[in-house]
């Protein structure tokens, strides 16, 4: 092509020679300030390097979309490039004793996997970072080269990089792209920053083990994690948030506050709730049950096991078996620990003939399920093998479907707000590659969810292929005080399980019809949700959720009797109270209560004992005027009522 017309989304068209690069075009189409912030460009749905020749794009008229380094796409490119930078530094420092695997950008940074006999340690990080800085100073270009697949295999075989060779042999294309940074060559689609001088702000974070390609039968590699930003202030904020997240780690706080424990003797991923954790859980469960009762749900209880045939009918054995435990023989019949509650609710539905007049049927259950998770991914309360789902299933007629989805969304967002979560991202997850049911049913279910979101005015993103095997779903990811996202709520419309189980009702016309089944969980699993709550509140729960709302402490032994009377009165009033009558200094007791995140401390000396009052101290350190025991109990109850609306 002798001339190519280039245009930006907002700007005039300009002609360039085909041998010109994207960077040449931007130099004339963008201001100097914009050009310095542009790290790559989008051409349709494809991102390309600034060094790309215009004639290689195969179009006579090209619209270039500048990708700013501060954008999500730009940050992804920056971090991917920094992964290459780190790999180069590791090879420069540790030479032929290291083999490289893969190094992608991830949500909060990047990682690179290495095979190395000697373990990396945090002490190595400064050395590697210094090596990275040397390359940054050199302003070395990221050079892209397209070669034949055979040529790339020969190159990496010569280098002894067998992980790259394995990846190459699975690529179907005849040609592949390589990127070179100095003497480091990597198999990569790109794009990358123009040169290493763009990579000024980075930090190595941690090292962890990772099986090659996530398969525990493969070689264990060392995964170096890092992060990178376009500005030092953003890196500083991220590192501060990281430190804050460590302080809020629910595993650390769960132990310190006596909420839960995990025992190797019992088994990994199985939670043992201690008294305070059990009380916290009971408070959540009681609130959940009361809210569902107010919204016309009925409570169910179902067993923990069922005949294996139930899971064949539901499709779980065909589509979900890798997440299920092995079956067990009872009286020569195979039974299975349940991974889901839905087939049990269907069995209850089928226990009698149903009429259209009964609908909608709203059934809920705090049902404990069991799912296999690899040991390496288990993580405190957030990733476990046995957990309780706040499950519900609604059976309804087609004409009721939209209203039921509205009701679920309203209840869902209201419950999340009560726990302090009013920021969230919503995703509409569509049909996966492996699914059951007809395309017609899938389309109807997807349309129903999409229309409900749009009519409620809720912003959402489509998450292609992430639905469950029996239906599409809405996923709600809540954000905590640090801006981290957590998957909790899900709403699924299902035409397929009713069909597989031959579920029906008698319609107004006297004939049999198939109901629609809606699956939904608002908190997801109680274990995961409580883990998120611990981290969100840093263990300092609001008064209505606090396992201990107040702690009584005496100044001397002389007030022990009055303290006991106060304790009993508050306990009878329904206040969650404990006492510290140890022969210790008052400041020590106050400090202990603050570390335990107790909302209120009731200090009792001779004056309080004589006047029949308590002196109230908040966990923030603020002292309130003395008040009667009755007034303090009323204060707690008013605060709880206000929090719950």
């Amino acid at each position: 092509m002798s001339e190519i017309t280039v245009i930006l989304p907002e700007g005039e068209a300009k002609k360039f020679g085909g041998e010109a690069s994207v960077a040449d075009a931007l130099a004339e189409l963008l201001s100097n300030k914009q050009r310095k912030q542009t790290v790559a460009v989008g051409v349709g749905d494809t991102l390309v390097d600034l060094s790309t020749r215009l004639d290689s794009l195969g179009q006579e008229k090209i619209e270039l979309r500048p990708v700013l380094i501060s954008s999500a796409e730009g940050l992804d490119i920056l971090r991917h490039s920094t992964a290459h930078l780190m790999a180069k530094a590791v090879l420069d420092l540790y030479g032929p004793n290291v083999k490289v695997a893969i190094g992608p950008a991830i949500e909060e940074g990047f990682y690179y996997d290495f095979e190395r006999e000697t373990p990396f340690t945090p002490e190595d990080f400064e050395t590697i970072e210094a090596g990275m800085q040397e390359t940054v100073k050199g302003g070395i270009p990221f050079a892209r080269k397209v070669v034949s697949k055979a040529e790339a295999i020969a190159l990496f075989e010569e280098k002894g990089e067998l992980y790259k060779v394995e990846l190459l042999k699975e690529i179907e294309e005849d040609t592949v792209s390589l990127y070179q940074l100095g003497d480091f060559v990597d198999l990569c689609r790109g794009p990358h920053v123009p040169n290493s001088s763009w990579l000024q702000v980075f930090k190595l974070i941690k090292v962890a083990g990772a099986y090659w390609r996530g398969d525990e039968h493969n070689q264990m590699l060392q995964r170096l994690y890092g992060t990178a930003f376009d500005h030092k202030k953003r890196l500083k904020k991220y590192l501060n948030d990281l430190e804050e997240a460590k302080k809020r780690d629910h595993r650390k706080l769960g132990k310190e506050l006596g909420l839960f424990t995990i025992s190797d003797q019992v088994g990994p991923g199985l939670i043992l709730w201690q008294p305070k954790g059990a009380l916290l859980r009971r408070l959540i469960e009681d609130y959940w049950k009361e809210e569902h009762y107010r919204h016309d749900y009925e409570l169910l209880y179902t067993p923990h096991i069922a005949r294996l045939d139930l899971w064949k009918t539901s499709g779980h054995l065909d589509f979900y078996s890798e997440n299920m435990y092995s079956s067990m023989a009872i009286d020569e019949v195979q039974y299975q620990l349940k991974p889901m509650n839905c087939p049990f609710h269907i069995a209850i539905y089928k226990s009698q003939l149903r009429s259209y007049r009964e609908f909608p049927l709203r059934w809920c259950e705090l049902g404990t399920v069991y799912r296999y998770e690899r040991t390496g991914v288990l993580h405190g309360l957030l990733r476990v093998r046995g957990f309780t789902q706040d499950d519900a299933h609604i059976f309804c007629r087609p004409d009721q479907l939209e209203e039921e989805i509205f009701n679920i969304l309203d209840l869902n967002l209201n419950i999340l707000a009560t726990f302090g979560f009013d920021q969230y991202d919503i995703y509409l997850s569509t049909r996966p590659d492996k699914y059951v049911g007809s395309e017609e049913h899938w389309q109807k279910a997807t349309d129903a969810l999409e229309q409900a979101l749009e009519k409620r005015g809720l912003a959402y993103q489509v998450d292609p292929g992430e639905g469950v095997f029996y239906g599409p779903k809405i996923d709600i990811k809540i954000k905590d005080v640090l801006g981290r996202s957590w998957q909790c709520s899900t709403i699924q419309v299902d035409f397929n399980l009713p069909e597989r189980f031959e579920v029906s009702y008698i319609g107004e016309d006297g004939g049999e019809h198939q109901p629609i089944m809606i699956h939904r969980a608002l908190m997801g699993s109680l274990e995961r949700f409580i883990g998120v709550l611990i981290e969100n509140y840093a263990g300092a729960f609001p008064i209505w959720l606090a396992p201990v709302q107040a702690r009584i402490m005496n100044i001397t032994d002389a007030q022990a009797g009055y303290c006991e009377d106060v304790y009993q009165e508050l306990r009878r009033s329904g206040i969650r109270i404990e006492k510290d009558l140890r022969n210790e200094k008052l400041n020590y007791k106050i400090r202990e209560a603050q570390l335990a995140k107790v909302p209120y401390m009731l200090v009792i000396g001779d004056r309080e004992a004589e006047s029949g009052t308590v002196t109230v101290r908040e966990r923030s350190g603020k002292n309130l005027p003395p008040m009667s025991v009755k007034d303090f109990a009323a204060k707690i109850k008013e605060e709880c009522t206000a929090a719950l609306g």
Side-chain angles (χ1 to χ4, degrees), residues 250 273 280-281 284-285 287-288 381-384 387-390 412 414-421 476 478 486-489 521-537 541 544-545:
H250 75 281
W273 293 98
L280 171 63
R281 178 172 167 151
I284 294 171
E285 290 180 0
Y287 164 74
W288 184 90
L381 297 174
L382 303 181
R383 201 75 177 265
V384 295
F387 60 91
T388 300
Q389 229 174 5
D390 72 316
N412 197 342
N414 178 63
I415 285 179
L416 292 177
T418 300
F419 286 101
F421 299 113
I476 300 177
I478 58 176
W486 305 90
Q487 172 62 55
C488 289
S489 310
L522 307 185
M523 293 182 279
S525 90
L526 288 185
E527 284 74 9
R528 180 180 178 82
F529 192 72
I530 290 173
V532 174
L533 283 175
I534 293 170
E535 299 206 1
N536 186 60
Y537 290 116
F541 298 107
W544 77 275
L545 264 183

Side-chain angles (χ1 to χ4, degrees), residues 144-405:
R144 184 176 188 268
K145 184 179 181 182
V146 177
V147 300
S148 70
K149 176 179 169 180
E151 185 180 345
I153 289 174
L155 171 68
F156 286 111
E157 282 181 337
E158 183 180 350
K159 290 177 174 289
E161 296 293 359
L162 300 183
Y163 296 108
K164 301 294 183 185
V165 173
E166 181 179 327
L167 293 173
L168 277 162
K169 288 181 177 179
E170 295 179 3
I171 293 175
E172 296 181 358
E173 290 85 355
D174 294 330
T175 61
V176 296
S177 60
L178 306 178
Y179 276 83
Q180 184 161 351
L181 179 65
D183 55 1
F184 173 65
V185 180
D186 206 351
L187 172 68
C188 185
R189 293 183 183 276
H192 284 283
V193 298
N195 62 68
S196 60
S197 68
W198 286 69
L199 311 177
Q200 300 279 342
V201 184
F202 55 80
K203 184 71 177 174
L204 302 193
I205 303 297
K206 65 178 180 178
V207 60
Y211 291 108
W212 168 236
R213 310 189 85 167
D215 187 335
E216 60 192 9
H217 299 102
N218 288 340
Q219 174 71 34
M220 172 65 81
L221 305 175
Q222 296 186 65
R223 178 167 292 179
L224 285 182
Y225 286 92
T227 192
F229 289 88
D230 60 314
H231 199 285
K232 287 182 179 179
K233 287 183 179 178
R234 294 187 179 91
L235 175 61
K236 183 178 179 180
K237 181 183 183 304
Y238 174 79
L239 295 177
N240 287 339
D241 286 349
L242 210 58
E243 286 303 309
E244 183 62 26
K246 289 179 183 177
K247 296 175 187 175
R248 293 170 177 264
D249 190 321
H250 75 281
R251 295 167 298 177
K252 170 178 173 287
L253 289 172
K255 182 178 181 180
E256 292 173 357
L257 301 178
L259 300 177
F260 69 93
T261 190
I262 300 171
S263 165
D264 287 338
Q265 189 175 28
V266 173
L270 302 172
I271 305 303
L272 303 172
W273 293 98
Q274 297 189 33
K276 289 180 182 176
L279 180 52
L280 171 63
R281 178 172 167 151
R282 195 205 82 193
L283 293 167
I284 294 171
E285 290 180 0
D286 287 350
Y287 164 74
W288 184 90
K289 290 174 183 176
E290 290 167 6
E291 281 298 294
H292 281 73
Y293 182 76
R294 290 200 310 113
H295 286 81
D296 293 327
Y297 282 78
E298 295 176 294
L299 190 64
L300 303 180
Y301 290 99
T302 59
H304 291 242
I305 62 172
R307 290 175 181 266
L308 193 64
D309 287 347
L310 182 74
W311 310 107
K312 290 179 181 176
T313 302
S314 69
H316 285 92
L317 281 181
D318 292 330
F319 294 90
Y320 204 72
S321 58
E322 69 274 11
N323 298 103
M324 298 169 68
Y325 287 99
S326 301
S327 60
M328 65 189 87
I330 302 175
D331 296 333
E332 299 182 354
V333 176
Q334 292 296 310
Y335 282 76
Q336 182 85 43
L337 274 170
K338 66 175 178 179
M340 305 278 186
N341 299 303
C342 31
F344 294 90
H345 293 195
I346 290 175
I348 293 174
Y349 180 97
K350 293 187 69 177
S351 65
Q352 65 187 72
L353 190 64
R354 303 289 175 178
S355 164
Y356 74 96
R357 297 179 185 276
E358 299 177 62
F359 291 150
L361 290 171
R362 303 186 184 104
W363 290 342
C364 63
E365 177 182 13
L366 292 167
T368 299
V369 297
Y370 303 90
R371 300 179 188 174
Y372 172 68
E373 297 280 3
R374 292 179 179 177
T375 303
V377 302
L378 297 175
H379 184 79
L381 297 174
L382 303 181
R383 201 75 177 265
V384 295
R385 287 176 171 166
F387 60 91
T388 300
Q389 229 174 5
D390 72 316
D391 222 345
H393 296 95
I394 294 93
F395 296 89
C396 65
R397 303 189 307 263
D399 61 292
Q400 297 169 322
L401 178 60
E402 183 177 273
E403 187 64 26
E404 287 306 304
I405 298 174

